[in-house]
Amino acid sequence: MDVSMCVHAYATSCVCTCVHVCKHIYQVGSLFAARFEQVAFSFNGGKDSTVLLHLLRAGYYLHKGKSECFQGNLSDSMLNCPIRTIYFESPSAFPEINAFTYETATAYNLQLETIRSDFKSGLEALLKEKPTKAIFLGTRIGDPNAVGQEQFSPSSIGWPPFMRVNPILDWSYRDVWAFILICKVKYCSLYDQGYTSIGSIYDTVPNALLSIVDSSSTTEIFKPAYMLSDGRSERAGRTKKLPLKCDTACLNNGMTNVSQSGSFIASIIVVGDEILFGTAEDKLSAVLCKKLNAIGWQVTRMIVVQNDIDCVAAQVEQQKSTNDMVFLLGGLGPMHSDVSLAGVAKAFGVRLAPDEEFEEYLRLLIGKHCTGDRNEMALLPEGITELMQHSKLPVPLIKCQNVIILAATNVSELETQWDCLLETPSHPLMRLPPFMSKHLGTMLSDVETAQTISKLCLEFPDIYIGCQRKSRVGPLVITFVGKDKTRIDLAAEKLSNSFPAGAFSEADCG
């Protein structure tokens, strides 16, 4: 099969998928029994929302019985879709994004409703003024805000109630560009300049993987975004992101994105075949999670990976672009299985290089024997490594941009390294109000308590309410987590008062 046949085959598959998605899109009306005016579309000028715009246009006319709109090239149809369109305009947005958004709104007669305040309050005001049952989003599974979402996902705790509809959730980077190129729809000009994932002017640069070597040019030149061969590197152009910058540029709401509620998010990666084989138990990540919660940070991931460079690199690459900080445990030392630093280097696209300062620390620690191993241990990711020194530590902690590598092998060492980390002058962990928790135990069944707890979640959107049972015959433990003790106590009291006296009691979840 030649290239043209491959393109044709993929194009046919893409259009069939689009037809299915378009038909699926307008089933939402019957699900909510809502008028068309109670459905909205969040458009941000990016490639994903551009695809969704044209799917919505096509779907609208399929819904109206005009399936002939799909005959030929979709972009040739200038028929409009009268859907309410929400645009969150930010002062840190690229001018090209703003221009493309307003040009597109004019071209397709979109009912554009621009919000210039912060996302949460702006959305609350908008939905209060114009009741909205569902909002279509161009979220895809690889996006940071896609965690835990499905094609239909209710808004998160703490945000106004609406249904998030994600028609292209399962689309790949390749799918998006195949649709855009095959259907010949207009897109933001930044994508032709090497940008593959566009955020704000402060955290986005052209993707280095698209750079063109041209000795005759005084400026760096990039290939267009659709030339990126590996969609997994889509967010590689987000390297300018500051580790402690709260990013509120998405509609993923509530506890699943605690940056929007005044906190920072972190992930923990543990490297260890012995844990995956069941011959050792991971105790360090649980301790580290509690340490982070105690300074107001929310942990979004605790991941165990193999002692394999590619496995480590893949997780570091994904987590460093979606979290404010990443902590790496295990895989450090002179053994063949100690691949953590090599994995970090690969994730950042740099080489391992000798670090004379770190080698001197190792020389004082190890001595003059084991010279070869000592030198190998002194190889650190080049150009991105910062050594965080403390008088209580035999060797400094290693920080590579927003990735911190902890060398602890037991809980005691971890606690020491954590304390030293917080005491270093340049430590990157801002202290915030800590997360607090309260636990109630009951012998009531899950069925007896489920409805009351669900209602309580709606009444206390600022409190995380979780349930667990350690054994089939043991008590059901309800956990309340938040940053406001008064609210936690009130939520726990309301739960207790909803059942006969004595049904709930304080429980120890330690």
Side-chain angles (χ1 to χ4, degrees), residues 115-222:
I115 298 176
R116 294 184 174 87
S117 61
D118 69 274
F119 287 83
K120 185 176 181 180
S121 60
L123 192 61
E124 286 175 340
L126 180 68
L127 300 190
K128 184 176 181 180
E129 179 185 353
K130 297 181 179 180
T132 303
K133 298 291 185 180
I135 298 178
F136 288 101
L137 303 168
T139 300
R140 289 191 293 113
I141 201 65
D143 297 341
N145 59 316
V147 177
Q149 290 203 50
E150 298 179 359
Q151 287 191 326
F152 291 90
S153 291
S155 56
S156 300
I157 296 173
W159 283 61
F162 65 92
M163 182 64 75
R164 291 174 289 189
V165 185
N166 305 308
I168 64 170
L169 186 67
D170 296 328
W171 283 38
S172 67
Y173 183 83
R174 177 173 174 261
D175 292 331
V176 168
W177 279 111
F179 177 91
I180 290 174
L181 297 177
I182 291 167
C183 297
K184 299 180 181 178
V185 299
K186 290 184 179 180
Y187 54 87
C188 179
S189 62
L190 288 175
Y191 292 112
D192 285 333
Q193 301 172 32
Y195 291 85
T196 53
S197 176
I198 301 174
S200 79
I201 58 176
Y202 301 114
D203 67 13
T204 310
V205 294
N207 195 320
L209 297 174
L210 294 174
S211 179
I212 299 174
V213 178
D214 185 356
S215 57
S216 64
S217 176
T218 57
T219 59
E220 195 170 8
I221 303 173
F222 295 87

Side-chain angles (χ1 to χ4, degrees), residues 437-441 444 452-453 456-457 459-460 463-465 478-481 484-506:
S437 62
K438 187 168 188 174
H439 312 280
L440 294 182
L444 295 172
T452 301
I453 293 174
L456 208 61
C457 289
E459 188 176 352
F460 292 88
I463 304 298
Y464 167 78
I465 304 176
I478 316 299
T479 299
F480 301 84
V481 181
D484 188 332
K485 185 177 184 301
T486 302
R487 292 282 292 170
I488 291 175
D489 291 341
L490 181 59
E493 182 182 355
K494 286 214 169 189
L495 176 62
S496 296
N497 292 342
S498 299
F499 293 89
F504 286 86
S505 61
E506 291 272 357

Side-chain angles (χ1 to χ4, degrees), residues 218-487:
T218 57
T219 59
E220 195 170 8
I221 303 173
F222 295 87
K223 292 181 286 187
Y226 53 79
M227 297 295 290
L228 185 68
S229 59
D230 187 354
R232 293 174 298 178
S233 302
E234 174 184 357
R235 296 182 64 84
R238 295 296 190 98
T239 55
K240 284 176 62 178
K241 181 174 180 180
L242 299 176
L244 295 181
K245 174 178 167 54
C246 283
D247 185 1
T248 56
C250 65
L251 277 171
N252 185 38
N253 318 318
M255 291 294 289
T256 57
N257 187 359
V258 293
S259 287
Q260 297 183 351
S261 60
S263 296
F264 296 110
I265 57 176
S267 62
I268 300 170
I269 302 173
V270 182
V271 182
D273 286 339
E274 65 279 5
I275 297 172
L276 295 173
F277 281 119
T279 58
E281 183 181 354
D282 170 32
K283 296 180 180 179
L284 300 184
S285 59
V287 173
L288 183 55
C289 185
K290 291 179 181 178
K291 297 287 187 184
L292 286 161
N293 289 167
I295 61 169
W297 283 60
Q298 174 72 16
V299 177
T300 60
R301 290 284 188 281
M302 290 196 297
I303 308 156
V304 180
V305 300
Q306 296 174 293
N307 292 83
D308 176 82
I309 293 176
D310 290 335
C311 290
V312 175
Q315 284 301 329
V316 171
E317 182 177 8
Q318 180 179 352
Q319 301 307 319
K320 71 182 177 66
S321 62
T322 58
N323 288 267
D324 296 298
M325 195 62 62
V326 179
F327 291 88
L328 191 64
L329 293 163
L332 293 174
M335 305 299 289
H336 70 283
S337 57
D338 293 321
V339 297
S340 290
L341 289 172
V344 171
K346 185 171 183 177
F348 281 97
V350 300
R351 71 186 185 102
L352 287 174
D355 187 289
E356 293 182 359
E357 182 183 2
F358 195 65
E359 185 172 8
E360 180 62 19
Y361 279 104
L362 292 176
R363 187 187 66 80
L364 294 174
L365 178 66
I366 300 174
K368 294 184 178 181
H369 61 290
C370 302
T371 303
D373 289 341
R374 186 189 70 226
N375 288 336
E376 289 180 13
M377 290 170 63
L379 297 175
L380 301 179
E382 186 178 35
I384 61 171
T385 298
E386 175 187 349
L387 297 180
M388 307 184 72
Q389 304 171 7
H390 194 284
S391 59
K392 296 180 182 177
L393 296 176
V395 294
L397 299 175
I398 301 170
K399 177 177 173 289
C400 299
Q401 293 190 9
N402 66 330
V403 178
I404 295 178
I405 298 100
L406 298 173
T409 59
N410 55 59
V411 171
S412 178
E413 290 179 355
L414 177 60
E415 290 179 340
T416 298
Q417 291 180 23
W418 175 261
D419 292 340
C420 292
L421 173 62
L422 295 184
E423 291 173 6
T424 56
S426 61
H427 81 81
L429 299 174
M430 182 180 294
R431 290 178 181 267
L432 299 168
F435 284 98
M436 296 172 283
S437 62
K438 187 168 188 174
H439 312 280
L440 294 182
T442 181
M443 295 308 296
L444 295 172
S445 68
D446 296 13
V447 174
E448 290 175 291
T449 57
Q451 187 174 7
T452 301
I453 293 174
S454 295
K455 290 180 179 178
L456 208 61
C457 289
L458 297 176
E459 188 176 352
F460 292 88
D462 55 323
I463 304 298
Y464 167 78
I465 304 176
C467 311
Q468 62 174 318
R469 194 187 295 275
K470 294 184 178 180
S471 67
R472 288 177 58 87
V473 296
L476 174 66
V477 178
I478 316 299
T479 299
F480 301 84
V481 181
K483 294 192 173 185
D484 188 332
K485 185 177 184 301
T486 302
R487 292 282 292 170

Side-chain angles (χ1 to χ4, degrees), residues 15 67-77 182-183:
V15 171
S67 58
E68 65 273 11
C69 288
F70 252 123
Q71 301 303 316
N73 194 325
L74 181 60
S75 65
D76 292 337
S77 172
I182 291 167
C183 297

